[in-house]
Amino acid sequence: GIPADSSNSIYVLEYGAADVGRIDAKTHELKVFYTPTPLSKPRRGDMDSMGRLWFAEFGANRIGMLDPAAGTIKEWEMPTPWNGPYMATPDRTGHVWSGAMLSDRVHRLDPKSGEMVEYLLPRETNIRRVFVQNSTPTPTFWVGNDHGASIIKLEPQD
């Protein structure tokens, strides 16, 4: 997981530990940010329009958000234990989506309220990379089903 921000600085999500590194594109300086939860195992993430990095915390069963301007990381716990979130990505409305490797669930987080909606998928899936289509009237979630040789499309009705 090495996403880049709008300035081409890169973020290294350290799956083997609990930290996120930022390498500044201009100065090449490395700054390390630590998640509040030990051994959170950060992995796969995306930047939002405000320059914040959203990422999965596989080992902590959480979604994490790094605000590089403030130098802080905030976490939101998944409603079901042992989900194993693999990736997190924001949509244009401010929600953040994640998929679980271990529980066949998709999650939509509203960071303002802290509410997390959980969608149970119809069959075993083992989610990895997740994609949000922002060009539809309501953001649409897409993911490949590693165990079912298919593609899943989730369109929230709320």
Side-chain angles (χ1 to χ4, degrees), residues 59-95:
N61 201 46
R62 291 170 165 78
I63 293 175
M65 184 271 295
L66 166 64
D67 182 344
T72 58
I73 292 179
K74 186 171 181 183
E75 299 174 324
W76 290 264
E77 189 169 5
M78 300 290 191
T80 299
W82 300 103
N83 276 301
Y86 186 85
M87 181 180 180
T89 189
D91 69 24
R92 73 170 191 279
T93 67
H95 290 111

Side-chain angles (χ1 to χ4, degrees), residues 3-11 22 25-26 47-51:
D5 64 18
S6 62
S7 302
N8 281 335
S9 294
I10 62 169
Y11 295 81
R22 179 182 184 270
K26 293 180 181 151
M47 305 301 293
D48 69 13
S49 62
M50 296 171 31

Side-chain angles (χ1 to χ4, degrees), residues 40-158:
S40 61
K41 297 184 177 240
R43 69 184 335 174
R44 309 291 184 273
D46 276 330
M47 305 301 293
D48 69 13
S49 62
M50 296 171 31
R52 301 175 303 182
L53 173 64
W54 293 91
F55 55 94
E57 291 185 341
F58 183 83
N61 201 46
R62 291 170 165 78
I63 293 175
M65 184 271 295
L66 166 64
D67 182 344
T72 58
I73 292 179
K74 186 171 181 183
E75 299 174 324
W76 290 264
E77 189 169 5
M78 300 290 191
T80 299
W82 300 103
N83 276 301
Y86 186 85
M87 181 180 180
T89 189
D91 69 24
R92 73 170 191 279
T93 67
H95 290 111
V96 179
W97 294 82
S98 184
M101 284 183 65
L102 306 175
S103 69
D104 306 318
R105 288 171 165 81
V106 171
H107 303 88
R108 184 183 66 183
L109 168 67
D110 180 348
K112 291 178 184 168
S113 69
E115 178 187 19
M116 194 171 311
V117 178
E118 190 172 62
Y119 302 92
L120 179 61
L121 298 177
R123 62 180 156 173
E124 186 178 350
T125 305
N126 191 290
I127 294 173
R128 301 299 173 124
R129 299 286 307 219
V130 300
F131 303 91
V132 174
Q133 181 180 359
N134 282 306
S135 62
T136 52
T138 301
T140 303
F141 178 89
W142 294 87
V143 68
N145 180 343
D146 289 358
H147 291 177
S150 60
I151 296 173
I152 296 170
K153 177 183 180 184
L154 191 150
E155 296 177 285
Q157 301 300 302
D158 56 355

Side-chain angles (χ1 to χ4, degrees), residues 1 11-21 32-33 39-43:
Y11 295 81
V12 181
L13 298 161
E14 183 54 52
Y15 177 73
D19 50 277
V20 178
V32 178
F33 305 89
L39 297 175
S40 61
K41 297 184 177 240
R43 69 184 335 174

